[in-house]
C-alpha cells in the first residue's frame, strides 16, 4: 500500500489543537549590525504557543552539528523543542519572532566543544594560543588512558543557539534576545586506541550540573564579547542527554536568565523534568498508578490482536506530574479497512483509559510506513484522527 505523508502544516495544526490566526502578512526590515534586508512575517500563525518566524528562512550557521553531537534522535528532538519551551519563560511568543541561530557558526561551536590544550598539544595541531578555545577539560596525554578519561570526561556535547527578534513600531525587526542550550553528557565514551573498543564512564548528575554551570559562565563572557550580544538578554539552559542506548530522551535540568549587558550569572532556576519508558520497572517504581493505566490500555490493544505485544510509551513529567504520553504501536495490517477499524478502536480506548489532563499522541505504523496518527490534547473532548492513504 503506497503511503503519502500529510503536509507538515496540517500535522502541526493537529498537534496545536487550536484555531490558527490569519492576520495580514507584514513586510518588515531586518536590522542587524552589518545589513538591512527586507523580510516577511507570514500571516499564518498556528497557535499562541508557537513563535512566528520571518521569511526568507535563514538556516542556523551551525546547521547539522546537533545530529552528529547528540546520542539519539530522542535527545535531538527534546533538546531543540525543550529549548523553545524554556524560551517562552523569558520571550513571549506574542512579542518575539523566532530565528535559528545566526551568531555562532559551525567553526566557532566546533572549537568550543574541544578540550583545552597544553602548549605542546597546540604546537602539534599548529594552533595559536588564541585558538585554544575548548570548554572541555584538558587531557594531559600521559598516563593511563582509562584513568585520564574518568578524571577528565567530556562534559559538553553540543551548543545550540536560538535567536528571538523583536519588531519596532517603524516595521523593523532586530535581535531582542538569545537562548543558548548546553547539552551535557551523562556518559562519557572513549577509546583506548584508534578503531578499538569503546569504553564508557558515568558522570553523576551533581558533577554534570556543576561543570555545566562553570561552562555556562565562560560561554556568557564569550557571548558578551561579541558586538551583537553586548546588551541583549541571554538565557542559558543545561540539558542532560542520555546514554546512546536510551529509548527515551534526556531533559533540561536548569536555566538562567541574564539581563541585558550583564556578564555574570546571579541565579539558576532548577527544573524537575523527566522522561520514562512505559512499561518499565523504573517507571513502575516511581509512578505505579500511571503505569497501571498504560498497562490496561496495552492489554486492551493486545485483545484486538491476541498475538501482538509491541505497545510502548514515552511519558513526560514536570514536577512529578504526567504531562504528555507518546505511544507507538507498530503492527501488521492486511488491508485498509483493518487499519481504519483498529484506529477507531484505539481512539476510543484513549478516551476511556486516560484522564483528560494528559496530552496523548498515538502513532500507528506498519512495515509499509505510518498508518494513522491520533492526537488528544489536554482537556479535549474528542481526539483528532488522521489515517494515511
Amino acid at each position: 500500500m503506497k503511503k503519502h505523508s500529510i503536509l507538515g502544516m496540517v500535522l502541526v495544526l493537529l498537534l496545536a489543537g487550536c484555531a490558527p490566526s490569519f492576520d495580514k502578512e507584514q513586510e518588515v526590515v531586518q536590522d542587524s549590525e552589518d545589513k538591512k534586508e527586507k523580510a516577511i512575517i507570514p500571516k499564518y500563525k498556528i497557535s499562541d504557543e508557537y513563535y512566528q518566524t520571518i521569511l526568507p528562512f535563514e538556516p542556523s550557521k551551525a546547521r547539522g552539528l546537533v545530529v552528529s553531537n547528540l546520542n539519539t534522535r530522542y535527545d535531538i528532538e527534546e533538546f531543540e523543542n525543550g529549548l523553545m519551551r524554556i524560551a517562552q519563560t523569558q520571550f513571549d511568543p506574542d512579542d518575539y519572532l523566532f530565528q535559528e541561530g545566526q551568531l555562532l557558526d559551525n567553526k566557532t561551536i566546533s572549537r568550543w566543544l574541544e578540550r583545552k590544550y597544553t602548549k605542546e598539544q597546540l604546537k602539534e595541531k599548529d594552533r595559536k594560543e588564541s585558538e585554544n578555545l575548548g570548554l572541555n577539560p584538558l587531557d594531559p596525554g600521559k598516563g593511563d588512558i582509562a584513568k585520564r578519561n574518568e578524571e577528565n570526561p567530556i562534559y559538553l556535547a553540543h551548543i545550540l543557539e536560538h535567536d528571538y527578534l523583536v519588531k519596532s513600531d517603524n516595521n523593523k525587526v532586530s535581535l531582542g534576545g538569545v537562548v543558548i542550550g548546553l547539552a551535557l553528557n551523562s556518559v562519557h565514551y572513549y577509546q583506548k586506541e584508534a578503531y578499538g573498543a569503546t569504553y564508557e564512564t558515568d558522570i553523576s548528575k551533581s558533577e554534570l550540573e556543576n561543570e555545566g554551570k562553570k561552562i555556562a559562565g565562560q560561554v556568557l563572557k564569550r557571548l558578551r564579547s561579541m558586538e551583537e550580544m553586548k546588551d541583549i538578554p541571554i538565557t542559558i539552559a543545561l540539558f542532560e542527554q542520555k546514554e546512546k542506548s536510551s529509548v527515551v530522551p534526556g531533559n533540561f535540568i536548569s536555566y538562567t536568565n541574564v539581563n541585558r549587558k550583564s556578564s555574570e550569572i546571579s541565579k539558576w532556576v532548577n527544573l524537575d523534568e523527566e522522561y520514562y519508558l512505559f512499561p518499565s520497572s523504573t517507571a513502575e517504581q516511581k509512578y505505579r498508578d500511571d503505569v497501571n493505566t498504560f498497562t490496561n490500555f496495552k492489554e486492551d490493544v493486545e485483545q484486538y490482536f491476541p498475538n501482538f505485544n509491541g505497545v510502548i510509551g514515552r511519558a513526560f513529567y514536570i514536577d512529578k506530574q504526567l504531562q504528555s504520553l507518546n505511544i507507538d504501536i507498530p503492527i501488521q495490517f492486511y488491508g485498509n479497512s483493518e487499519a481504519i477499524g483498529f484506529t477507531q478502536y484505539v481512539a476510543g480506548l484513549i478516551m476511556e483509559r486516560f484522564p483528560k489532563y494528559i496530552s496523548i499522541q498515538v502513532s500507528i505504523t506498519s512495515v509499509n510506513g505510518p498508518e494513522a496518527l491520533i492526537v488528544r490534547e489536554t482537556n479535549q473532548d474528542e481526539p483528532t484522527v488522521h489515517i494515511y492513504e
Side-chain angles (χ1 to χ4, degrees):
M1 180 170 52
K2 187 177 180 181
K3 298 293 171 190
H4 300 278
S5 61
I6 60 176
L7 291 174
M9 190 61 72
V10 175
L11 256 179
V12 178
L13 269 174
L14 292 177
L15 298 178
C18 54
S21 170
F22 290 94
D23 294 332
K24 187 177 180 181
E25 190 175 82
Q26 300 179 52
E27 185 176 279
V28 294
V29 175
Q30 187 172 1
D31 196 1
S32 65
E33 292 292 325
D34 56 354
K35 65 179 181 179
K36 286 183 171 62
E37 295 182 350
K38 286 188 177 180
I40 299 294
I41 302 175
K43 62 183 178 181
Y44 189 88
K45 187 176 182 183
I46 298 168
S47 164
D48 291 338
E49 297 178 4
Y50 292 93
Y51 291 96
Q52 285 182 289
T53 60
I54 62 172
L55 300 175
F57 171 75
E58 290 286 347
S60 168
K61 296 296 184 184
R63 192 178 192 182
L65 275 183
V66 66
V67 176
S68 57
N69 290 338
L70 294 190
N71 289 336
T72 70
R73 66 178 179 88
Y74 304 114
D75 279 326
I76 293 170
E77 291 174 4
E78 178 59 20
F79 188 40
E80 295 182 331
N81 295 337
L83 191 63
M84 193 173 293
R85 188 172 64 246
I86 288 174
Q88 294 177 9
T89 66
Q90 181 76 347
F91 307 110
D92 192 323
D94 289 336
D95 301 324
Y96 290 85
L97 307 169
F98 172 81
Q99 187 175 48
E100 290 197 351
Q102 301 297 308
L103 303 171
L104 300 179
D105 59 22
N106 197 305
K107 181 179 179 181
T108 298
I109 290 179
S110 295
R111 286 286 174 88
W112 290 11
L113 294 177
E114 293 176 342
R115 287 185 180 276
K116 203 75 174 174
Y117 295 127
T118 64
K119 290 183 178 180
E120 292 77 13
Q121 289 168 342
L122 280 174
K123 188 175 181 180
E124 290 175 5
K125 294 179 176 293
D126 195 25
R127 298 264 192 95
K128 301 176 183 177
E129 181 58 42
S130 60
E131 298 174 306
N132 195 9
L133 301 173
L135 292 168
N136 277 304
L138 182 147
D139 176 3
K142 298 177 182 179
D144 181 71
I145 293 178
K147 184 178 180 181
R148 280 163 30 206
N149 278 278
E150 289 173 3
E151 293 178 350
N152 306 289
I154 296 291
Y155 295 111
L156 182 62
H158 189 58
I159 300 172
L160 181 64
E161 173 199 352
H162 283 172
D163 295 341
Y164 291 90
L165 311 179
V166 62
K167 185 169 72 72
S168 64
D169 293 335
N170 57 355
N171 271 358
K172 287 185 178 181
V173 292
S174 57
L175 187 64
V178 170
V179 179
I180 301 291
L182 303 181
L184 305 168
N185 289 320
S186 60
V187 178
H188 168 54
Y189 298 93
Y190 64 95
Q191 293 176 304
K192 294 184 178 181
E193 56 187 25
Y195 309 110
T198 299
Y199 299 85
E200 61 185 64
T201 181
D202 292 336
I203 302 173
S204 69
K205 185 172 181 178
S206 59
E207 179 184 358
L208 174 149
E209 188 167 10
N210 288 337
E211 295 298 327
K213 289 178 178 179
K214 292 177 185 177
I215 292 171
Q218 297 179 64
V219 169
L220 177 60
K221 285 181 170 58
R222 294 183 184 187
L223 296 179
R224 285 295 186 224
S225 69
M226 302 172 70
E227 187 65 30
E228 301 91 337
M229 296 204 205
K230 277 186 176 180
D231 62 351
I232 61 168
I234 296 175
T235 294
I236 301 178
L238 305 183
F239 177 81
E240 178 184 3
Q241 78 158 331
K242 294 292 187 181
E243 66 277 7
K244 291 181 178 180
S245 60
S246 178
V247 293
V248 293
N251 53 273
F252 282 93
I253 56 179
S254 58
Y255 69 90
T256 181
N257 294 320
V258 183
N259 295 330
R260 58 179 71 248
K261 296 187 178 181
S262 174
S263 297
E264 300 292 334
I265 296 174
S266 59
K267 65 178 181 178
W268 288 87
V269 178
N270 294 323
L271 297 172
D272 184 5
E273 298 183 354
E274 299 172 294
Y275 278 91
Y276 285 91
L277 181 68
F278 281 7
S280 68
S281 58
T282 304
E284 189 170 0
Q285 289 173 8
K286 199 161 186 179
Y287 300 107
R288 181 181 297 273
D289 290 344
D290 293 336
V291 174
N292 287 341
T293 298
F294 176 82
T295 301
N296 291 333
F297 168 82
K298 181 174 180 291
E299 290 173 350
D300 287 340
V301 172
E302 291 166 357
Q303 285 182 5
Y304 195 96
F305 289 100
N307 297 322
F308 173 69
N309 187 26
V311 183
I312 61 171
R314 295 175 183 85
F316 178 50
Y317 287 84
I318 296 179
D319 297 328
K320 307 293 188 298
Q321 179 68 49
L322 181 58
Q323 304 292 314
S324 63
L325 181 61
N326 285 359
I327 300 173
D328 294 328
I329 306 179
I331 204 160
Q332 180 61 54
F333 294 108
Y334 296 95
N336 193 49
S337 59
E338 187 173 328
I340 293 173
F342 179 70
T343 301
Q344 291 175 333
Y345 175 67
V346 172
L349 289 180
I350 290 172
M351 302 307 294
E352 293 174 13
R353 289 297 185 187
F354 297 106
K356 280 191 173 184
Y357 65 82
I358 302 171
S359 173
I360 306 288
Q361 178 177 314
V362 180
S363 298
I364 301 173
T365 60
S366 72
V367 293
N368 297 311
E371 295 283 351
L373 176 67
I374 306 171
V375 178
R376 201 281 305 276
E377 291 292 344
T378 304
N379 296 322
Q380 190 175 348
D381 291 330
E382 293 184 359
T384 303
V385 180
H386 179 85
I387 298 176
Y388 297 84
E389 297 180 355

